[in-house]
Every structure is written in C-alpha cells, then in structure tokens.
Amino acid sequence: MNSSKMLKILFVTPEAVPFVKTGGVADVSGSLPLKLQELGHQVRIIIPKYALVDERRHKIHEVVRLKEEYEEVKGKKIMFSFRSSFLVATKTRVQIYFLDNKDYFANRKGIYTDPKNGKPYSDNDERFILLTKSVFSLILKLGWIPDIIHCNDWQSALIPIYLKTVYKDVPELQNIKTLLTIHNFENQGIFPLDTFDKMELPKELKSEKGLLFDGKINFLKGGLNYTDLINTVSDNYVKELCSDAEVSFGLKNILCKRREDFSGILNGIDTAVWNPEKDKRIPKKYSIKNFEDKQINKKALCERFNFNFDENVPIISIVSRLTESKGIDFLMKGFKELLKVKANFILLGDGEIRYKKFFEEKAKKSNNKFACQIGFDENLAHLVKAGSDMILIPSKYEPCGLNQMYGLMYGTIPIVRKTGGLADTIKNFDEKNFSGNGFVYEKFTMPDMIKTINRAINLFSKRAIWEKLAKTGMKSNFSWANSTHQYVDIYRKLVG
Ligand code: GLC
C-alpha cells in the first residue's frame, strides 16, 4: 500500500454496473471505485435509485439516519432518503448510497427517457438538481468529509457549482476539491432558461460565466466552469475536442480556456468480469489454450438468434447505444449495402426509437443474415462477445469505447473507425509484419467501412493467421492498473 496519505473519494455517477446501465459510464463506475479502494483509498458511491435497480438482488437496505431528508427544488421541499448496499469484488467492496425519491426516480420505468414516448423526462433538470443537493446533505449527515468529489457527466456536473457558491461558507465543505469526468460530450444536460429558477443559485450564474450557453441552461458547461479539474476518457478524444467544435458539441472554447486543467485518461476494463476463461455467463469458457471452444459459444449465439451455424461465415456484432454519434444513423442509411457483405450481423443495444423501429423491422425480414435485440442485456452482451468473430464499431465520435477492448479479450476482432479512444486502442492489422490488433478505417463513409469489413472477412478465411491475430488480442492488457494511478495523481494534484 502507498505510504502517502490515503484519500477519501466520493464518486457521484448517474449509473453503475451491476445496478443500472445504459452506457459505458456504468462500466467505469462499477470498476474504477473498486480499483481505487484496492489501493487503500476510501471510496463511496452515490447514484439514484431508479425503478430498474433491483433492491432484493443487490441487498439494498434502509439506513435509519439517512431517512426522510429534505432539500428544495423548484421552491418546493422534496423528501428523499438514502438506501445503501455494496459494490462487491473479490478483494474489496465499496459502499454505495442510492438516492431514493419516489416521484423523481423510484416510480419511473425509464432512466433518462420515458419508455412510453422515447423522450427525455421533462423534469430531468429537477431530478439531477435533487441528486446534486442530496450529495451535500449526505456528506453533512454522515460527517464523512471527502477530499475529492469525483463527478461523472452532466448529471453530477452541478456539484462543483453548488460547492463554490451556495455551500461555500459551510465549514465542513471548505476543503473539498472536485474532478469532473466527461464520458461523452454529446449529452450536456441542456434545459430552457427557466430551469435556472428551480436551482436557487446566485443570479450572476445566469450568464456565460456560469450556466448559460446558447441562450439555454447547460449543466455540463456550468460544471466545466466551476470544477477544479476536468478529464475525459482518452488522449485522442482530448485532442479532437480541443481542435474541432463539432466533436465537443460546441464546448471547444471553454475547454481551450481550461486546457491546463483538462486531461485524458484511458478507461480500463474489469478483467474479472470480461474474461472468457472465467466468464460464467457464456456456455463454454475458453482461453488461448482451447480457443477452438469459442465455436461452442458461436453455436449458442446462432441458436439464440436463429442463425444457421457455419464456421466459415463470420458473425459481426454491434453492441452500442443507438444514437447518431455511434454511427447508427449511418448503418441505417447503408443497411442494404451492409447486408451484401458475406457475413451475418447481430445488433444489441438501446436508444432512439427511430433506430429501434428500423432495425427490429429489418431483423424480421432478414432471416439468417441480420438479427437484433433491443435493450440493455449484460448477459447477452457477454454471449455476443464470446460467440461473434468480429465486433464493428462505426462511431462518428467515440470518447473511449469499451467494446473494442472487450472484443479483443474474447478473440473477437474489432473493426473500428479511427476516432477518439478507438484510435488509441486499435491499430490497423498489417499482414506483412504481423502488426496491429484490428481493422481500422479513417473516413466516416460507407465505402470505407465496407472495404474494411471485406478486408477483415478476407483474412477470416485464412484461418491460421486469423487465429493468431485473435490470440494476440486476447493477450492485451487493458486492466485498470495504469489508469487508476493516473486518477490518483489527479486527486493528489487537487489536494496539494
Ligand atoms: C461513454 C462513451 C464511451 C466511453 C464510456 C465510458 O459511453 O460514449 O466512448 O467508453 O462513456 O467512459
């Protein structure tokens, strides 16, 4: 254990595996805190208790002294409680607090959007104002004063703002520093101007120096102005964000202004969870030594999706949130061409209704060629990784991307567009000198993508080389070890 002072870190996040997941922020939130705690730091997590969070399965219990607290949102007193459980790993466990409020969270089927109409809940601003205020209430009630509040994405981006304004004179909170990690700039928490009146913040924050952006209230922008340090999830994404306003969805200037305080730390993956040798969720465990057993998983995957099993026809999978920036729009437009390729396709994911409808419809009509499963299904995600031959990630932007790393661990070769963290983790395969670990294309165009998929399919028919490439991927090291230390370095820089 490190001899320098151990830190207290409060990790605030909108989602965490295994409790609730819509995207990669959940994977990070379900693993990084454990790794920090394994190093000897004290970590606690806060997330909202959505209806989807299974109380029984996760042994979530009441905490008597954290019951029936009140905070004001929109001028009304809102009652909430914190319930508690643990994020568990073999070596350690981290205490997790669930913000429990019926109207805003527990009684709703969706997480950010209403499943009835696919639209964001109209009071998402109020929901995450409550999360923010509840964080301070929890700290004061527990008397557990963190050195760092580690915020994640727009849902917790208001924390630094409140800390430095409304709560600035509270003695217990004076020394707390904040880090804001942005997992994707696409979602910023943008609301109409009158959201400001629900927040009870000093008037001067209703300005460009505060939360105002483009005539609207922007939670993420406000957080970027107020947090002590900022990071995102790969170096290459940092470069892109600082050079291209489109990648930052408009926030480039503020990032440039804070360039000194802004860094990239590549995500790790939980190698205890994503390991084909130990994976209890797949029909047959395998490793480099019994790589041929991957075929048993391929068979199971074929059965699951009613495909005829054929060792010589590759299965290419896409596991993604269904949004434009993940390249899903693009797949939709080029769907016909995609299906001309000599491979079978599986799509697993959830997101915008228009995509769900389109792909479900196509799956009905493309028997034995294209199948899809709409929804977030972690068990199936494991089978898909184990049973597929390739994983396609056609993103327009990709802050880090985790599926290419999961793919490599399972000997499932990534085909990716060269963007963000994909460019940092996947290098184009070169047969001549056997370098690289996947297939990479640069331009966000259909011909480039199809050409690259065909290149992969061509290599797939050369079994010996393909296997060698797959096994090389399985030996990669994407553990959290390195990145955890980089987070600790940031925390230490903050506490001085
Ligand atoms: C978001 C990003 C993804 C990243 C993940 C975890 O989902 O879109 O690229 O890997 O967050 O940081």
Side-chain angles (χ1 to χ4, degrees):
M1 204 180 279
N2 198 324
S3 59
S4 46
K5 181 183 173 262
M6 287 303 153
L7 300 164
K8 287 184 183 166
I9 304 142
L10 182 60
F11 196 90
V12 187
T13 179
E15 42 190 272
V17 162
F19 309 101
V20 57
K21 169 171 175 178
T22 73
V25 60
D27 299 62
V28 172
S29 304
S31 48
L32 174 61
L34 286 163
K35 299 297 162 196
L36 289 163
Q37 186 134 307
E38 272 173 25
L39 291 179
H41 303 288
Q42 271 188 49
V43 190
R44 299 189 184 186
I45 306 174
I46 298 186
I47 69 170
K49 199 177 138 317
Y50 310 95
L52 277 168
V53 176
D54 188 332
E55 276 200 29
R56 276 213 187 160
R57 183 177 151 220
H58 299 298
K59 303 192 178 77
I60 300 172
H61 55 266
E62 204 178 273
V63 185
V64 176
R65 65 181 168 141
L66 299 177
K67 264 181 79 176
E68 298 186 11
E69 300 284 310
Y70 289 88
E71 285 291 345
E72 244 176 59
V73 179
K74 203 180 164 188
K76 271 190 303 191
K77 279 207 157 157
I78 308 289
M79 191 182 81
F80 61 93
S81 301
F82 276 103
R83 298 167 76 80
S84 181
S85 182
F86 290 94
L87 179 66
V88 188
T90 17
K91 290 195 206 138
T92 189
R93 57 181 203 167
V94 171
Q95 184 145 29
I96 177 158
Y97 293 97
F98 293 91
L99 166 63
D100 191 15
N101 169 280
K102 287 207 166 38
D103 294 338
Y104 283 137
F105 297 106
N107 284 352
R108 301 191 187 196
K109 293 224 164 71
I111 298 180
Y112 315 120
T113 52
D114 189 341
K116 272 192 234 133
N117 56 20
K119 295 209 174 102
Y121 287 118
S122 61
D123 57 0
N124 271 344
D125 52 352
E126 291 166 38
R127 301 171 79 213
F128 293 101
I129 293 170
L130 180 67
L131 174 68
T132 304
K133 292 191 164 186
S134 76
V135 167
F136 296 103
S137 164
L138 179 90
I139 294 174
L140 293 171
K141 198 73 199 229
L142 286 179
W144 186 82
I145 313 296
D147 298 301
I148 309 285
I149 306 182
H150 185 159
C151 310
N152 291 272
D153 284 344
W154 70 266
Q155 294 90 340
S156 52
L158 296 179
I159 293 170
I161 306 178
Y162 278 86
L163 184 65
K164 290 196 180 149
T165 57
V166 177
Y167 295 96
K168 75 175 191 313
D169 297 322
V170 180
E172 293 94 322
L173 307 178
Q174 301 270 309
N175 294 324
I176 300 179
K177 303 286 184 227
T178 51
L179 169 67
L180 175 56
T181 301
I182 297 120
H183 297 264
N184 198 324
F185 276 79
E186 186 179 17
N187 306 309
Q188 302 183 355
I190 299 173
F191 301 99
L193 268 186
D194 58 14
T195 288
F196 194 80
D197 306 328
K198 303 177 182 173
M199 305 173 104
E200 278 143 296
L201 283 171
K203 267 198 234 91
E204 58 272 19
L205 268 78
K206 198 175 178 180
S207 68
E208 287 291 326
K209 282 199 180 127
L211 285 142
L212 209 61
F213 185 68
D214 247 355
K216 300 214 167 90
I217 296 300
N218 184 317
F219 282 23
L220 189 60
K221 189 232 161 139
L224 291 175
N225 273 334
Y226 276 79
T227 187
D228 293 312
L229 288 178
I230 307 161
N231 85 296
T232 187
V233 288
S234 71
D235 278 332
N236 191 42
Y237 190 49
V238 171
K239 271 190 224 138
E240 292 172 353
L241 287 162
C242 292
S243 57
D244 185 344
E246 208 186 299
V247 181
S248 70
F249 289 84
L251 297 181
K252 177 177 159 233
N253 287 347
I254 167 161
L255 287 173
C256 291
K257 233 191 282 160
R258 298 216 56 189
R259 188 63 190 88
E260 298 272 283
D261 303 327
F262 178 36
S263 60
I265 301 181
L266 191 72
N267 288 329
I269 60 171
D270 194 329
T271 46
V273 175
W274 295 96
N275 176 356
E277 209 175 340
K278 297 195 176 137
D279 193 337
K280 292 195 189 102
R281 306 181 198 200
I282 59 176
K284 180 72 185 171
K285 300 187 183 82
Y286 63 99
S287 69
I288 291 174
K289 288 188 207 115
N290 59 333
F291 185 69
E292 61 287 355
D293 284 349
K294 184 171 166 60
Q295 293 302 321
I296 300 176
N297 295 297
K298 183 169 174 179
K299 256 187 211 146
L301 184 64
C302 287
E303 267 165 39
R304 170 69 179 69
F305 284 105
N306 277 327
F307 282 172
N308 295 328
F309 170 74
D310 185 342
E311 232 177 302
N312 299 317
V313 178
I315 296 186
I316 305 182
S317 293
I318 301 137
V319 181
S320 181
R321 267 187 294 122
L322 306 180
T323 65
E324 191 186 333
S325 71
K326 295 284 180 191
I328 302 300
D329 199 60
F330 176 76
L331 286 185
M332 189 166 96
K333 287 184 187 135
F335 192 76
K336 256 195 198 154
E337 273 176 73
L338 191 66
L339 284 211
K340 286 185 200 149
V341 163
K342 289 200 181 77
N344 292 335
F345 288 89
I346 290 173
L347 172 79
L348 170 64
D350 208 341
E352 291 173 34
I353 276 187
R354 60 189 169 127
Y355 300 130
K356 294 198 227 181
K357 280 195 184 146
F358 175 86
F359 289 111
E360 269 180 335
E361 202 47 44
K362 289 292 174 201
K364 277 187 212 150
K365 293 182 192 153
S366 336
N367 223 354
N368 210 17
K369 182 80 188 158
F370 173 77
C372 84
Q373 168 78 40
I374 299 299
F376 296 105
D377 183 337
E378 278 299 277
N379 290 335
L380 186 56
H382 282 250
L383 177 62
V384 166
K385 299 291 169 5
S388 307
D389 300 291
M390 307 166 197
I391 181 143
L392 173 64
I393 312 183
S395 306
K396 191 168 184 191
Y397 315 115
E398 191 62 75
C400 174
L402 298 170
N403 284 306
Q404 78 277 20
M405 304 190 214
Y406 297 153
L408 286 175
M409 302 315 295
Y410 284 74
T412 305
I413 315 263
I415 305 169
V416 307
R417 193 175 94 77
K418 192 173 176 186
T419 180
L422 295 172
D424 282 347
T425 48
I426 305 299
K427 302 291 171 217
N428 204 14
F429 178 64
D430 180 347
E431 205 178 329
K432 267 190 237 125
N433 44 19
F434 206 88
S435 64
N437 56 358
F439 296 88
V440 183
Y441 61 99
E442 289 202 18
K443 282 194 220 120
F444 190 62
T445 65
M446 205 62 196
D448 275 42
M449 188 184 82
I450 300 281
K451 211 164 91 192
T452 311
I453 294 178
N454 280 327
R455 203 151 54 80
I457 294 176
N458 189 30
L459 192 82
F460 181 75
S461 57
K462 302 180 187 170
R463 286 319 270 246
I465 307 178
W466 184 265
E467 255 188 42
K468 193 172 162 199
L469 177 60
K471 288 180 184 172
T472 310
M474 291 170 83
K475 289 184 212 148
S476 353
N477 179 5
F478 290 117
S479 83
W480 269 104
N482 213 346
S483 308
T484 311
H485 286 292
Q486 291 183 45
Y487 276 105
V488 174
D489 287 345
I490 291 202
Y491 300 153
R492 291 214 189 281
K493 187 169 158 193
L494 281 171
V495 296

